[in-house]
Amino acid sequence: MSDMFEKSIRTLELPAVLEKLSQKAVSVAARERCLRLVPLTDRGDVLRLLDETDAAKAMIGLWGSPSFSGVKDVSPALSRADRGGMLNTRELLDIAGLLTASRRVDDYFHKEGRTEATVLDHLFNSLHANHYLEEQIRGAILDEDTIADTASTELADIRRKMRLAAAKSRQILQKIISSASYSKILQEALITQRDGRFVVPVKAEHRGDMPGLVHDISASGATLFIEPMGVVQANNELKELTAKEEKEIDRILMTLSADCAAQQENTQWDYDVMVQLDVIFARGQLSYQMNASRPEVSGHFAVTLRRARHPLLDKAVPISLELGHSFDTLVITGPKTGGKTVTLKTLGLLCLMAQCGLHIPTDDGSTVPVFRRILADVGDEQSIEQNLSTFSAHMGNIIEILREADEGSLVLFDELGAGTDPVEGAALAVAVIQNARSKGAKIAATTHYAELKTFAMTTAGVENASCEFDVQTLRPTYRLLIGIPGKSNAFAIAQRLGLEASVIDAAKAQIDSESVRFEDVLSQLEEKRQTLERSQQESEELRRRREEDARKAREFREQMQRAKENARGKGEAEAKRIIRDAQAQADTIFAQLEELRKAQQNRENFQQINDARVAVRHSLKKAGELLSDRQEESIPTPSRPIAVGDLVELPGVKTAATVVHANNDGTLLLQAGKMKMTTRASEVRLIESAEMIEKKKPRPVGNSSYQFQAAARAASELDIRGLETLEAESVVENYLDSALRSKLGTVTIIHGKGTGALRKAVWEMLRRNKNVKNYRMGRYGEGEAGVTVVELK
């Protein structure tokens, strides 16, 4: 990577984006790797990194990010253990923390419900997750200063004996300080320790009255800390046990160190893999934070950005631009602080981010290539120490850029040719652009020179662009307009600010006629563009509304069709059930007759057999009548022919519709709100006649498209099985409105068990509905989890 490329990376502020990325990482090593990321120049490597970011983002969306807490670099400790050294408790706990992190990441990958393979599977599957060694360390070391008694049976025995020896010493000393004969010679009646041995404080003038060993003297010399001879033996035993304890602890630490050394290679591998995963999941989290998406990586040097936002600006105005398709050079003009420099930086920075494997804040359909180098001359780099002016500093960068530019380069020039005589600066700017173009580079440049606008309009492969400016508010809109050169708004701005008209007229007189005509043409183009843009917006809004109405009509027709099919299917199923019940009852009676015949072979009771047969025939006749009643009940025959204006209802669909037209073939054209459909007269139920409708018709209030629902009768239950989630929500909302108008206190919604998605959607809708007082799952006998019982206010 050349010095100019590295300088351009800093100029375009990629390090600031990497700093935001590092804040998403957990481990220290992962944060350092994030800060060291550099743009890759191989398309295959870039695609691999973007695939990893895609997989991490998808997994975060489904299960959250895995925990990388405890991922620390333990390679120095493992290396020392491998050479036979003994690790301390802190080092062993760090190793245990790394093993714990490895186990958690492994558990995260193998959790239930995960079925799809990803490009990260090989990293997760390579983890070793040594749970045995983790438990050995954590079971032996409670914290940095404490070894557990259970670390070994020998240590537990030693500590038990130590407690006995300490208790024995305390018991002897307790007798001494409690004795009246020693009360005058003791400074205080307490037991303390010096050098690990139990002692009592004795007054200096009575040192001869307490036989024992002096271990310490107070600062004033008035108190001696004496170990009475009676406890010397017990203290000696405690001291020996303490030495054994330390020796046993060293042995335990050596054993654990050897176990860690045996797993050095696997542990170090797990550390490297988790650091890599930490970086990848940090890229996924940054993508969520920036609302970013994956760009397509093209095989040729062409850029397409859809509604791109600068990642470091909180309220960046989205811009859309193309470069490298129909033109290889983009000349951007516009007022100061109008967003030209931000546009350049956004273009360069997003290309750098994509080549680092990061998602970029753009809409779908954005495409970036893999540039071999991105070279930028952006900002004012004048230097007092080096005696460089603004022009000299820019020219130094331009010289380096032209030296390195080739067909795989993206070149960004900010205020090209500025800082010197306008005529010479404009000529130099044109020459620099032509030189870079001759080398095959893709170029984006900002300028104020009118000569460059003309150059872009008259040169093939060069396109004008401008940053829009609102003369009425005297503020830039920061919108990038491709194909339209920027217009100088100096006169308009001066007039808005109150400059006298005579001064403005005098200024206009100083401009040659060609420049005036050029500005007039730009003004006319801008007016036509704004008019065309408004027309396009209005057309788009009309198209969107038309598509929405068509979608609602399709959904309503599909809903009606499904409801008809459901009603027909329910009727057929009910008929089959009645016949099955009747047949089963008949089989039972015939079986009873057969038993009766066998029991009365010698003395047949013909009267009883005849009665049984009559009962069978009666049961079959009753079942048939029930089936006939159910079929007749499903669609009753109207008392008169259905006429235009009547209110009818489809069985199974508790929605009323008005008869608009009666066709000659016996079909009816129905309308429910804005929705229309055609059905046979035999498939609808007559609710009210046209005369009754006129009498009961309320005065229109609110939206008339929903007035038909006021006349609809609401049943106590609604079956939405088989509907999609969005369709079900619409049907349930209409049903609840109808039930509320019908003053139903409690209704039942049948959604089935299935995967639970339909029930979840219904519950979410019920939670938002202000007319719902309470709702619950069905109890035993009501349908259990397959239904929801709703209590209305």
Side-chain angles (χ1 to χ4, degrees):
M1 182 180 296
S2 66
D3 293 341
M4 191 63 206
F5 193 4
E6 292 182 358
K7 182 179 180 180
S8 299
I9 289 174
R10 295 191 298 272
T11 300
L12 296 174
E13 300 180 276
L14 178 63
V17 176
L18 298 183
E19 177 64 30
K20 296 181 68 173
L21 175 65
S22 69
Q23 294 173 3
K24 299 299 180 182
V26 178
S27 62
V28 175
R31 291 176 181 173
E32 293 175 352
R33 288 194 188 184
C34 289
L35 295 174
R36 293 197 303 267
L37 282 179
V38 294
L40 301 180
T41 56
D42 182 78
R43 183 170 181 268
D45 292 338
V46 173
L47 289 173
R48 174 178 56 80
L49 292 182
L50 290 174
D51 288 341
E52 292 174 350
T53 306
D54 286 346
K57 185 176 182 180
M59 296 176 75
I60 292 172
L62 292 173
W63 306 297
S65 180
S67 172
F68 295 102
S69 175
V71 178
K72 297 181 180 179
D73 185 9
V74 296
S75 56
L78 291 174
S79 178
R80 186 154 55 84
D82 188 51
R83 295 194 299 270
M86 182 183 73
L87 305 182
N88 58 40
T89 54
R90 180 70 269 161
E91 292 170 323
L92 288 170
L93 287 175
D94 287 344
I95 294 175
L98 179 62
L99 297 175
T100 301
S102 176
R103 174 174 54 81
R104 287 174 179 171
V105 173
D106 185 69
D107 292 343
Y108 167 87
F109 177 69
H110 291 99
K111 64 172 57 179
E112 294 183 5
R114 187 188 175 282
T115 57
E116 295 184 2
T118 69
V119 295
L120 302 179
D121 289 1
H122 70 284
L123 293 175
F124 283 105
N125 288 324
S126 66
L127 293 173
H128 298 89
N130 194 331
H131 187 57
Y132 173 77
L133 181 57
E134 175 194 349
E135 290 298 319
Q136 286 291 103
I137 297 175
R138 294 203 180 277
I141 305 175
L142 300 181
D143 56 53
E144 194 170 345
D145 300 318
T146 308
I147 303 296
D149 292 354
T150 56
S152 71
T153 55
E154 181 66 19
L155 181 62
D157 185 60
I158 291 172
R159 287 183 172 173
R160 180 181 58 80
K161 293 179 179 179
M162 288 176 65
R163 288 190 289 271
L164 291 176
K168 182 178 179 182
S169 298
R170 284 182 171 277
Q171 186 177 9
I172 296 173
L173 292 175
Q174 189 64 37
K175 289 181 180 179
I176 292 175
I177 64 175
S178 302
S179 173
S181 58
Y182 287 107
S183 61
K184 295 181 180 180
I185 66 175
L186 295 176
Q187 194 71 264
E188 288 183 80
L190 60 82
I191 302 171
T192 184
Q193 277 189 326
R194 290 294 187 273
D195 298 329
R197 304 180 74 87
F198 290 104
V199 296
V200 292
V202 179
K203 297 177 181 178
E205 60 269 23
H206 294 286
R207 62 182 302 174
D209 297 333
M210 175 69 73
L213 304 177
V214 178
H215 286 277
D216 197 7
I217 302 175
S218 66
S220 63
T223 304
L224 303 178
F225 294 94
I226 297 177
E227 178 185 8
M229 294 304 296
V231 297
V232 170
Q233 182 61 33
N235 279 342
N236 288 341
E237 182 181 354
L238 182 60
K239 197 71 173 179
E240 292 174 1
L241 290 172
T242 302
K244 289 183 178 180
E245 179 193 31
E246 293 177 355
K247 185 177 180 181
E248 179 61 19
I249 288 175
D250 289 344
R251 186 194 68 79
I252 293 171
L253 294 179
M254 279 298 300
T255 300
L256 293 176
S257 300
D259 293 341
C260 292
Q263 298 296 324
Q264 177 186 8
E265 184 176 348
N266 292 341
T267 305
Q268 188 62 43
W269 175 273
D270 285 2
Y271 169 75
D272 292 337
V273 168
M274 285 191 289
V275 170
Q276 186 176 353
L277 287 172
D278 196 359
V279 173
I280 293 172
F281 276 89
R283 300 204 302 262
Q285 292 185 37
L286 183 64
S287 177
Y288 270 113
Q289 178 183 327
M290 298 190 305
N291 191 24
S293 61
R294 171 180 177 154
E296 294 296 326
V297 181
S298 64
H300 57 284
F301 299 108
V303 182
T304 301
L305 298 180
R306 305 296 186 202
R307 292 183 57 79
R309 286 90 61 191
H310 195 288
L312 301 178
L313 298 179
D314 294 333
K315 296 182 179 180
V317 176
I319 61 171
S320 298
L321 63 85
E322 293 183 355
L323 180 63
H325 296 282
S326 57
F327 53 88
D328 56 36
T329 301
L330 189 65
V331 178
I332 306 173
T333 53
K336 285 286 188 181
T337 68
K340 301 188 302 299
T341 301
V342 172
T343 299
L344 284 188
K345 285 191 171 184
T346 301
L347 171 60
L349 181 56
L350 296 192
C351 290
L352 290 173
M353 289 174 59
Q355 291 181 216
C356 289
L358 300 175
H359 286 174
I360 60 177
T362 61
D363 285 0
D364 293 338
S366 298
T367 304
V368 296
V370 180
F371 290 108
R372 284 193 286 271
R373 57 184 64 86
I374 298 176
L375 307 172
D377 174 38
V378 179
D380 187 359
E381 296 190 6
Q382 63 179 341
S383 172
I384 297 176
E385 294 180 358
Q386 299 180 14
N387 194 25
L388 293 176
S389 65
T390 299
F391 177 77
S392 300
H394 278 297
M395 192 51 58
N397 291 335
I398 292 172
I399 292 171
E400 290 296 324
I401 289 174
L402 294 180
R403 184 179 293 125
E404 297 182 16
D406 58 16
E407 62 179 359
S409 301
L410 172 64
V411 178
L412 307 174
F413 293 121
D414 187 27
E415 299 296 346
L416 185 58
T420 186
D421 178 74
V423 176
E424 294 181 356
L428 190 59
V430 171
V432 168
I433 291 176
Q434 288 177 334
N435 183 274
R437 291 188 69 206
S438 67
K439 297 181 178 182
K442 302 297 179 288
I443 307 164
T446 66
T447 183
H448 283 96
Y449 294 140
E451 289 83 353
L452 264 69
K453 303 177 189 177
T454 306
F455 169 71
M457 294 176 66
T458 58
T459 306
V462 183
E463 185 63 81
N464 266 308
S466 61
C467 290
E468 190 179 45
F469 187 86
D470 190 342
V471 180
Q472 299 300 321
T473 62
L474 301 182
R475 292 181 179 178
T477 64
Y478 302 104
R479 293 180 57 201
L480 184 68
L481 307 176
I482 303 294
I484 300 176
K487 179 181 179 296
S488 175
N489 296 290
F491 293 155
I493 294 173
Q495 185 176 5
R496 288 280 299 171
L497 292 176
L499 186 64
E500 294 182 6
S502 60
V503 178
I504 296 176
D505 293 338
K508 290 180 178 180
Q510 302 296 321
I511 302 177
D512 60 83
S513 59
E514 291 295 329
S515 298
V516 172
R517 283 196 296 271
F518 183 72
E519 291 295 328
D520 290 342
V521 169
L522 292 183
S523 299
Q524 294 172 9
L525 285 175
E526 177 64 15
E527 291 177 1
K528 291 181 179 179
R529 182 196 65 79
Q530 293 179 358
T531 302
L532 180 60
E533 191 174 77
R534 285 192 295 268
S535 299
Q536 288 178 339
Q537 291 176 351
E538 293 173 358
S539 299
E540 179 64 23
E541 180 64 19
L542 290 174
R543 184 191 62 80
R544 188 190 62 79
R545 291 180 181 177
R546 195 162 51 249
E547 290 181 353
E548 181 68 15
D549 290 341
R551 182 187 63 81
K552 291 181 178 179
R554 286 194 301 270
E555 290 179 355
F556 183 79
R557 283 196 295 270
E558 292 172 358
Q559 176 187 339
M560 294 299 103
Q561 185 62 31
R562 281 194 297 270
K564 288 165 58 179
E565 294 175 355
N566 288 340
R568 187 181 299 111
K570 287 180 182 178
E572 293 175 355
E574 183 68 12
K576 292 179 180 179
R577 184 191 65 78
I578 293 174
I579 293 175
R580 285 197 304 270
D581 292 345
Q583 187 64 45
Q585 187 176 0
D587 292 341
T588 301
I589 295 175
F590 279 123
Q592 293 174 354
L593 289 176
E594 182 65 20
E595 292 177 359
L596 184 62
R597 186 186 62 80
K598 292 180 179 179
Q600 298 181 352
Q601 288 181 351
N602 298 328
R603 197 163 45 87
E604 293 184 352
N605 189 341
F606 294 100
Q607 185 61 38
Q608 187 174 6
I609 293 176
N610 288 335
D611 292 340
R613 288 176 177 172
V614 170
V616 171
R617 293 191 186 96
H618 178 73
S619 298
L620 290 175
K621 182 178 179 181
K622 186 176 181 181
E625 291 175 352
L626 181 59
L627 174 59
S628 177
D629 293 340
R630 294 297 294 268
Q631 290 176 339
E632 292 175 359
E633 182 183 344
S634 60
I635 304 178
T637 302
S639 58
R640 58 172 178 77
I642 298 175
V644 175
D646 287 342
L647 195 65
V648 297
E649 179 184 72
L650 286 170
V653 183
K654 303 303 180 182
T655 301
T658 303
V659 179
V660 178
H661 182 71
N663 300 319
N664 296 329
D665 58 358
T667 60
L668 303 174
L669 178 61
L670 308 180
Q671 180 172 4
K674 293 183 179 180
M675 313 302 173
K676 294 184 179 181
M677 65 177 296
T678 302
T679 183
R680 291 192 297 271
S682 59
E683 295 180 348
V684 299
R685 184 197 311 271
L686 178 63
I687 299 179
E688 296 184 32
S689 64
E691 293 79 4
M692 295 176 66
I693 294 174
E694 287 299 325
K695 291 179 181 180
K696 296 183 179 181
K697 187 174 182 181
R699 295 191 175 272
V701 178
N703 192 339
S704 61
S705 64
Y706 296 100
Q707 292 177 6
F708 74 92
Q709 296 179 357
R713 295 186 303 160
S716 61
E717 65 178 32
L718 173 67
D719 190 346
I720 59 172
R721 289 176 293 182
L723 299 183
E724 297 292 336
T725 302
L726 293 177
E727 298 170 342
E729 290 181 355
S730 176
V731 172
V732 172
E733 287 181 353
N734 292 336
Y735 171 71
L736 292 179
D737 291 341
S738 180
L740 199 63
R741 287 191 295 270
S742 300
K743 298 182 180 181
L744 295 180
T746 304
V747 296
T748 302
I749 300 174
I750 305 172
H751 44 64
K753 298 179 180 179
T755 61
L758 192 56
R759 182 189 65 197
K760 182 178 179 182
V762 170
W763 282 28
E764 179 64 23
M765 190 275 296
L766 293 175
R767 184 181 64 81
R768 299 192 306 264
N769 196 311
K770 297 180 180 180
N771 296 320
V772 174
K773 181 179 181 181
N774 191 16
Y775 59 90
R776 60 174 174 82
M777 190 181 297
R779 299 191 180 98
Y780 180 78
E782 293 178 333
E784 302 179 31
V787 304
T788 295
V789 180
V790 184
E791 183 179 354
L792 300 176
K793 293 181 180 179

